[in-house]
Each structure stands twice: as structure tokens, then as C-alpha cells.
Amino acid sequence: MRNICSYLLFRQSPLEIPAKSIYAGLMAGVLAVPSPLYADEVSVQLGATPPSDAIALSAHGIDSAIKQLPDSIRGVMKRSGVPGVAVAVVHNGKTVFAKGFGVRELGKEQPIDEQTRFQIASVSKSVTATIAAVEVFRGTVSWEDPIVKYLPKFKLHDPYVTQHVTIGDFFSHRTGLPTTTGDELENLGFDRGAIIEKFAQIPLEDFRTSYNYANFGTTIGAEAVAAAVGSTWESLAEKVFFEPMGMETTSYRYSDFIKDGNRASLHALQDGKFQPLYKRDPDAQAPAGGVSSNVVDLAEWLKLMLSGGIHGGKQLVDMASLMPAMRPQSFSSHVQDLSDRSGAYGFGFNVSVEANGRTSMGHSGAFLLGASTAFKIVPSADVGIIVLTNGAPVGAAEGIVGQFIDTALYGKPTRDWFGAYHALTSSLFMPGGELADRQKPSNAVLPLDGSAYEGVYENPYFNAAEVKTVDGGLSLIIGPKQMVFPLEHWDENVFALTPTGEDAIPGSRYVVTFHVEKGRAKGFNVEMYDGNGNGNWTRQ
């Protein structure tokens, strides 16, 4: 599934030098830093002296980066076509830059300012990890606590993993759940509880040695923390983090985003142009991709991390609790040859070493329906940047971040960052499905009468689906939303399905194959939903 809360996202993305494969690490070139696993072994703090072999910062690099930032933003906007951008920079405990550019929605021309609210997509994972660390600091939970300690009914396919998988395992995507598990259910309208319950049916990959980016993995970890407190995640975040941080325009609830009059609309990329076509309600996976906020609020979050967990003179979280999230816990991409560098992921953060030997942490986020975001902090330089855009992921957010960080560290950009990221993100818009961009066979065998296919079919993972005639043609109706997918006849008992929502990449077309016995369909397979072997429906 192309739920891009998980692309850049899930084809993992530290904000670093591009790797050879978007699947291995969209911005790899990461050198894993050896470190102890658990919090009680931590002695280092953010903002500490850089490694002795780190290269000195450019004398006026940060000042130059801030001065050049408006022109850099405008340049990326012109090249990318992204309608609107908001950016904040923090340095030495202060917000030194916060500004909006462009418009909230094309055709309405309302300007974006520093207070404009955006959906931040998978940058939410890093915010969520920070809030989880607050509860670790309070002694409510530990990163290594088993999930079943707080969610006793939770089950995975493997009983051993069920009993031993920890909060940290879910935050670091090392549980063995396949990539993007649950996104396909969310797209069909299943709620959070129903999605998580389905995970017992999914065969796992290797526990703690595989890395598969999954939105609902982060969501499960957050649900366990909330259960330990006896709260919903949304209320917990508001009470223990957003309110004490003064982040008044930040929420995990989609309803809060919608009722904000100063909000940025999503802009999907259609026919090479950005268009405000869709809305995206991410409540089901909120801890992984549901935060909405503005750059002023998010700057406060960046400052908290760079200050060692202190806000307003108070210790909101200590570094012993936060550091495990911000150091390598998983390989997000493995090297393919000895000239390459592995990617590393912590608990909700991509973790890297810059070319000058200084560590950095960051994350990207996006919805293909029309949002792209990115942030990065370099603790030893006490600098961070957050970039929010209201356009689908074309490399704009990462390009702005890359150019700023390069200038701050080295005095000038080391490459065309937008160009590099734009080339990588282009693969996100490739059509999917076996029938993508193919022509219907000229000698196609005619199908049976529609009544041979019509009926209700069962599936233990996706639940019941109905095949019926709608507007003169067969359609597949599926999920709590009762989504209707017209079925285009292809050849004999094979039909083509064109996806909707975040799967609606132009040209995408998936196979639906009916299994026919004695002139009547007994079941069918949907290619788009068969990634984990769950795409078979059987007639009731």
C-alpha cells in the first residue's frame, strides 16, 4: 500500500546522503554509532561536546544558513511547484527563524504564516517517541517493557514474540511485522482497535533482526504507553506534553486540524501539477502520522530536545529516558557494498553521522494525498530545523533541510539537495499493479454473466466483501467505509481494479481473479491486498 505516512517515510529516511535504493534508505549514508541499549547505561547528553575527531563548524555557517534560508525556500518552491511552506529554525535555545511562504490552498490565495497549521505525517513518530520518553522519565513505563504488560489481549502471529516484544521494539520497527502492515485496513475504514486485532493473522519476519517500517507498529507502542497511564494517547499527549510545552496549536485529533481556520490544505500531484483534491484523516494511526501543528509549536519541541529535556526551566524529560530513542536501535538499511553506509533508526528517530563526524537526528513524513515534512537536529551545533509543506512528497522539505544543514555546518551546500531528493521521490509516483499501463488483450475471452460473480464473500483479515452490479458494471464493495471499486473486465475471469485514495497513482491497475467452478465464482483474489497472503475471499 502507498500510505505515504509511511513512505520517506517507510522506505526509510534519515535526512542524509541518498542511498542506492529507496527501499533500503531514502536518505542513507548513515554511520551507526555504537551505544548501550538501555536508559540506565546512558552518560552522554544532547548538546554535549562533539566527538574529538569531529570537524570544526564553519565560523559563520549558522548565521549564513539563516540569512540564506528565505532565498533557499523560494528557490525550492519555484523548482518543485509546492504551493506552501513553513519553516522554523532553533539555535542556542531560541527560535531564530519562523516564517511561512506561499498559500494555504491554490485558488484561494490565503497566505501561509508561521501560525499556519499543517498535517505533519510521519514526523509524528518522533513527537510520539518524545512523549513516550516523558512517561519513561516519570517511571510509568520502560522502553524494554513487554507490550502485553499493558495490553494483555494483544497478539502477534508468533506466541514467543507476543510475550517478549517490547515498547522499544515497536518504536524501532524490529518486531518482524511486514512493512506498512495495517495501512491497507486503515484505507478501507477499519478503526485502530480493529486493525491492531488483525495483526495476529500476519506471519512475521525475523524478530529484532529485520527492519520493516510500519505505521501501526508505532501506534501499538504508543497504545501501550497510554494504557499504562490509563488514558487515550490523544489525551495523554495533550496533558503531559502539549499543554506544559505551550503547544496550543498541536494535536493528534483530526477534528482539531479541521476546525482550525488557519490550516494548510493537502495538494496531490496530478498530471505534474499540485492540486487540492483530497482530505486525509489519520486518526486510526494517530501516534504514527496524525499530529497537526505549526512551526512555532514544533520549534519548542526541537528546543526541548536540544536543551537536554528542559522547558521553561523545568525538567520535562531527562536524557537518560530520551537518549535510547535518539541513538541507533535498528539498521534501517544495510550496506550493499563496502563503499556504502548503513542507515540507522532509533525509537522514532532516524539517527546519522554527518560528514564532519557530528551526530544528527531527523525524520521525514508525507501523505501522497498532499503533504511532505521533514526535520533535523545537530545537537553538537545546537541547531535544528523543521520544514512543513502542503504538497505531495517531491523532495522539497528534505531539500530545504539539506541545504540549510550543509550551510550551517560547512558554510555552503555540498550538493543540489532538492535535485537529489526529487530524483529519489519520483519512484513514489510509479504506478502499481501487474496490469499497470498495460493494454487489454485484443483477443480477450468474454466473462460469464454478471450473476455468476455477484454475491458476498468472506475473508478473515479484510472481513466480508460484496460483488454486485453498480451502474451497469461489476464492482467490489469492501470495508467499513463500503468502498466501491469498479471492476473492468480484462480477460475471461480476470478483472482490473483501479485503486483510490493514497493508492491512486495514475496508471495503477491491479488484478482481480475469480475462481470459477461449474459456471459460478467460488472466490476471488485481489492482487492489491495480497501482499501478506491475505487477498483471498471465499463465497459464503
Side-chain angles (χ1 to χ4, degrees), residues 236-304:
L236 169 66
E238 187 173 65
K239 181 178 179 180
V240 307
F241 198 71
F242 299 148
E243 287 181 359
M245 289 285 292
M247 297 171 68
E248 297 179 355
T249 312
T250 306
S251 171
Y252 282 92
R253 298 182 182 91
Y254 182 67
S255 59
D256 290 335
F257 171 72
I258 287 298
K259 69 184 181 184
D260 193 324
N262 184 4
R263 69 179 185 273
S265 297
L266 301 181
H267 290 78
L269 192 63
Q270 296 285 331
D271 300 322
K273 296 181 180 180
F274 285 106
Q275 301 179 49
L277 302 175
Y278 305 108
K279 298 184 185 300
R280 174 69 166 91
D281 179 350
D283 276 356
Q285 56 153 274
V291 171
S292 62
S293 187
N294 61 35
V295 293
V296 173
D297 277 11
L298 292 169
E300 296 303 305
W301 168 58
L302 296 186
K303 286 186 282 190
L304 178 84

Side-chain angles (χ1 to χ4, degrees), residues 282-435:
D283 276 356
Q285 56 153 274
V291 171
S292 62
S293 187
N294 61 35
V295 293
V296 173
D297 277 11
L298 292 169
E300 296 303 305
W301 168 58
L302 296 186
K303 286 186 282 190
L304 178 84
M305 292 185 290
L306 290 170
S307 71
I310 297 172
H311 177 77
K314 297 180 180 180
Q315 192 84 47
L316 188 61
V317 60
D318 68 353
M319 294 317 302
S321 303
L322 187 55
M323 272 296 297
M326 304 179 75
R327 63 171 180 245
Q329 301 287 353
S330 302
F331 283 110
S332 57
S333 62
H334 290 274
V335 296
Q336 303 302 310
D337 59 59
L338 295 181
S339 64
D340 205 352
R341 288 179 287 182
S342 295
Y345 199 87
F347 297 150
F349 290 84
N350 292 294
V351 186
S352 313
V353 176
E354 300 295 312
N356 61 0
R358 295 170 184 267
T359 55
S360 63
M361 300 84 191
H363 212 288
S364 291
F367 298 140
L368 275 184
L369 298 183
S372 182
T373 61
F375 84 94
K376 196 171 200 178
I377 60 173
V378 183
S380 65
D382 199 5
V383 68
I385 180 172
I386 177 81
V387 178
L388 309 178
T389 82
N390 62 351
V394 294
E398 293 82 6
I400 293 167
V401 169
Q403 184 160 330
F404 175 83
I405 292 295
D406 260 15
T407 306
L409 300 184
Y410 316 121
K412 61 181 180 180
T414 61
R415 67 188 65 201
D416 175 7
W417 284 103
F418 168 71
Y421 284 120
H422 183 63
L424 286 171
T425 55
S426 63
S427 67
L428 303 176
F429 300 93
M430 297 294 291
E434 186 179 325
L435 303 179

